């Protein structure tokens, strides 16, 4: 049984994240979505709300487990017998950060492999920060997030 852990802030979860998970399910038997506390990033949604959104997105999918965490990712992976860390890549701009992160995680535990997948082209520009920014100004981003996330976003302002 191959298990991967997919860590992130998910503030909020987007269809880009969902696409990454779906690709991961082709490679692994089980995926653990680990919602990072990330309080230093001052997230828009508290960790329990972010976890609730992730749970609602994948309700009924028995190959997906979810949890929240605020410790070291490699320790969490070890606890759950995960052999891989799943991450997504969008543009070249993601590379530098992901490169450093995977090198650091490898230093901490050489047995855990980082695996990167690219989401569908139409999601390459989708990020949680973009969703937060546009929705806070009343913009309509509903087609970029799972349906269950829509009620959590600020109301859409009429253009007229
Ligand atoms: P973090 O704070 O750990 O970067 P995020 O929730 O922003 O958390 O992202 C988690 C992972 O999902 C990262 O590897 C990020 O690159 C990836 N990701 C997010 N959105 C997309 C997308 N639209 N396409 C591909 N990967 C994505």
């Amino acid at each position: 049984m191959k298990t991967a852990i997919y860590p992130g802030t998910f503030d909020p979860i987007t269809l880009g994240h969902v696409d990454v998970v779906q690709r991961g399910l082709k490679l692994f038997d089980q995926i653990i979505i680990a919602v990072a506390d990330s309080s230093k990033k001052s997230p828009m949604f508290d960790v329990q709300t972010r976890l609730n959104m992730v749970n609602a997105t994948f309700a009924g999918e028995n190959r997906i487990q979810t949890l929240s965490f605020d410790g070291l990712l490699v320790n969490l992976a070890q606890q759950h017998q995960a052999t891989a860390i799943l991450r997504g890549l969008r543009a070249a701009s993601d590379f530098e950060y992901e490169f450093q992160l995977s090198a650091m995680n490898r230093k901490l535990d050489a047995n855990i492999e980082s695996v990167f997948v690219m989401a569908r082209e139409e999601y390459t520009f989708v990020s949680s920060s973009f969703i937060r920014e546009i929705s806070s100004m009343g913009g309509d981003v509903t087609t970029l997030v799972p349906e269950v996330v829509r009620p959590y976003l600020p109301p859409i302002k009429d253009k007229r």
Side-chain angles (χ1 to χ4, degrees), residues 97-155:
Y97 175 72
E98 295 293 341
F99 179 71
Q100 285 181 10
L101 190 68
S102 67
M104 197 48 88
N105 283 328
R106 177 177 288 168
K107 187 117 195 105
L108 295 172
D109 186 338
N111 293 315
I112 302 175
E113 207 59 57
S114 291
V115 174
F116 299 91
V117 297
M118 283 188 288
R120 267 161 63 171
E121 298 71 49
E122 60 254 56
Y123 300 137
T124 50
F125 65 94
V126 180
S127 65
S128 298
S129 60
F130 174 83
I131 300 293
R132 292 194 302 274
E133 198 174 331
I134 305 293
S135 67
S136 70
M137 293 184 289
D140 184 359
V141 287
T142 51
T143 57
L144 304 175
V145 295
E147 230 174 288
V148 293
V149 170
R150 293 178 189 175
Y152 291 90
L153 298 176

Side-chain angles (χ1 to χ4, degrees), residues 6-10 16-17 20 41 87-90 94 98 119 123 126:
Y6 179 30
T9 306
F10 304 103
H17 292 121
V20 168
K41 286 189 173 176
R87 297 284 287 179
L89 283 177
R90 283 160 292 196
D94 280 340
E98 295 293 341
Y123 300 137
V126 180

